[in-house]
Amino acid sequence: MVDLRDKAVVITGGARGLGAAAARAVVDGGGRVLITDVLEAEGAATAAALGGAARFLRHDVTSEDDWTAALEYAAAEFGRLDGLVNNAGIATGRFLEHESVEHFRRVVEVNLVGTFIGIKAAVPLLRANGGGSIVNISSAAGLTGLALTAGYGASKWGVRGLSKIGAVELAESRIRVNSVHPGMTLTPMTAPVGIRAGEGNYPGTPLGRVGAPEEIAAAVAFLLSDSAAYMTGAELAVDGGWTAGLTVQHLAADARLTERRGVR
């Protein structure tokens, strides 16, 4: 548990999955949280389950007006803003040549443009508070090339770069900007892929398993806290070692494939 006492945080896409886990981590750390999402019923239920320290507001991250309303609401409810977690996002699962331009644009609009608008909108409140922390949720797909993620991967690379630009430009205002890069994590967004929790169920990752939302949330909470006061512009991979390199299982599979092809 990280000390987040007296801190007020806005978390987008907080109705479920990683966002809901991050909201729980903020409340468990003693902070207050505004959960925003387009999923109204689930968002309201998540906030209610967290008790009096949590609020919910419907919020489309691609809308500048919605961002203004969300941050005004947070300021009115909490009297301050200490942190922002740009977590809202959507995924893709098609090869680049089969991805439609319309869907590609939609994914980039939500994942990258939504993050840009959020950073821009939050700066005045954070600056008025003497600084704060912005945590942008990128992905392991924002650290390396990953098939079947044309729009998603491109947008998450963009979030990674935008975070570094924000870190450089906003440091003078004591606003820290970092990105978190989750690996495969069991959430409602990834559940359709058919992944399973538990040891040995994801051998392509060095730790051999998928992540839990709470494990990503712990990294987010740390970056929101004063314990990370000297961290800005960092990219924090929470991916079970997936982006570190090939596993023994990968190497063995590659060797078998090479042998079948008759390559020496």
Side-chain angles (χ1 to χ4, degrees):
M1 189 182 300
V2 175
D3 186 1
L4 295 172
R5 283 174 292 179
D6 300 322
K7 294 194 182 298
V9 179
V10 172
I11 299 178
T12 68
R16 61 185 190 175
L18 298 184
R24 165 62 69 185
V26 169
V27 172
D28 286 349
R32 295 169 293 170
V33 62
L34 171 62
I35 296 167
T36 79
D37 210 304
V38 294
L39 303 174
E40 295 186 59
E42 290 175 86
T46 297
L50 292 177
R55 306 285 189 276
F56 171 74
L57 186 70
R58 189 191 187 283
H59 173 205
D60 176 356
V61 296
T62 67
S63 165
E64 291 185 76
D65 289 342
D66 275 18
W67 268 108
T68 298
L71 293 174
E72 287 179 349
Y73 181 75
E77 288 292 305
F78 304 140
R80 57 189 291 149
L81 181 68
D82 300 277
L84 168 64
V85 181
N86 282 305
N87 170 74
I90 55 178
T92 59
R94 306 190 71 184
F95 283 111
L96 187 153
E97 64 178 310
H98 301 304
E99 177 71 289
S100 71
V101 173
E102 293 76 17
H103 193 243
F104 183 92
R105 283 181 175 150
R106 176 60 181 164
V107 173
V108 171
E109 186 77 12
V110 173
N111 295 2
L112 179 55
V113 179
T115 296
F116 164 74
I117 301 172
I119 296 172
K120 181 180 173 69
V123 166
L125 278 176
L126 292 171
R127 184 178 284 137
N129 195 44
S133 174
I134 297 174
V135 182
N136 297 322
I137 305 301
S138 178
S139 169
L143 294 171
T144 188
L146 181 63
L148 298 170
T149 65
Y152 182 79
S155 67
K156 293 304 187 178
W157 275 83
V159 168
R160 175 189 179 192
L162 184 63
S163 300
K164 292 186 180 297
I165 293 166
V168 172
E169 293 187 357
L170 299 173
E172 190 174 356
S173 297
R174 296 298 179 262
I175 298 172
R176 299 182 292 106
V177 188
N178 296 286
S179 58
V180 172
H181 299 256
M184 185 62 79
T185 306
L186 187 56
T187 69
M189 189 172 76
T190 60
V193 178
I195 61 173
R196 293 183 299 157
E199 298 293 336
N201 285 325
Y202 202 59
T205 293
L207 287 185
R209 64 176 179 84
V210 300
E214 294 74 18
E215 293 173 309
I216 314 303
V220 172
F222 167 69
L223 290 174
L224 289 170
S225 77
D226 293 339
S227 295
Y230 200 53
M231 287 185 69
T232 194
E235 48 197 44
L236 190 57
V238 191
D239 64 356
W242 184 67
T243 56
L246 295 175
T247 65
V248 172
Q249 288 86 349
H250 269 128
L251 292 172
D254 185 63
R256 289 193 297 271
L257 181 60
T258 300
E259 184 177 347
R260 284 198 298 271
R261 289 175 174 172
V263 178
R264 295 291 183 268

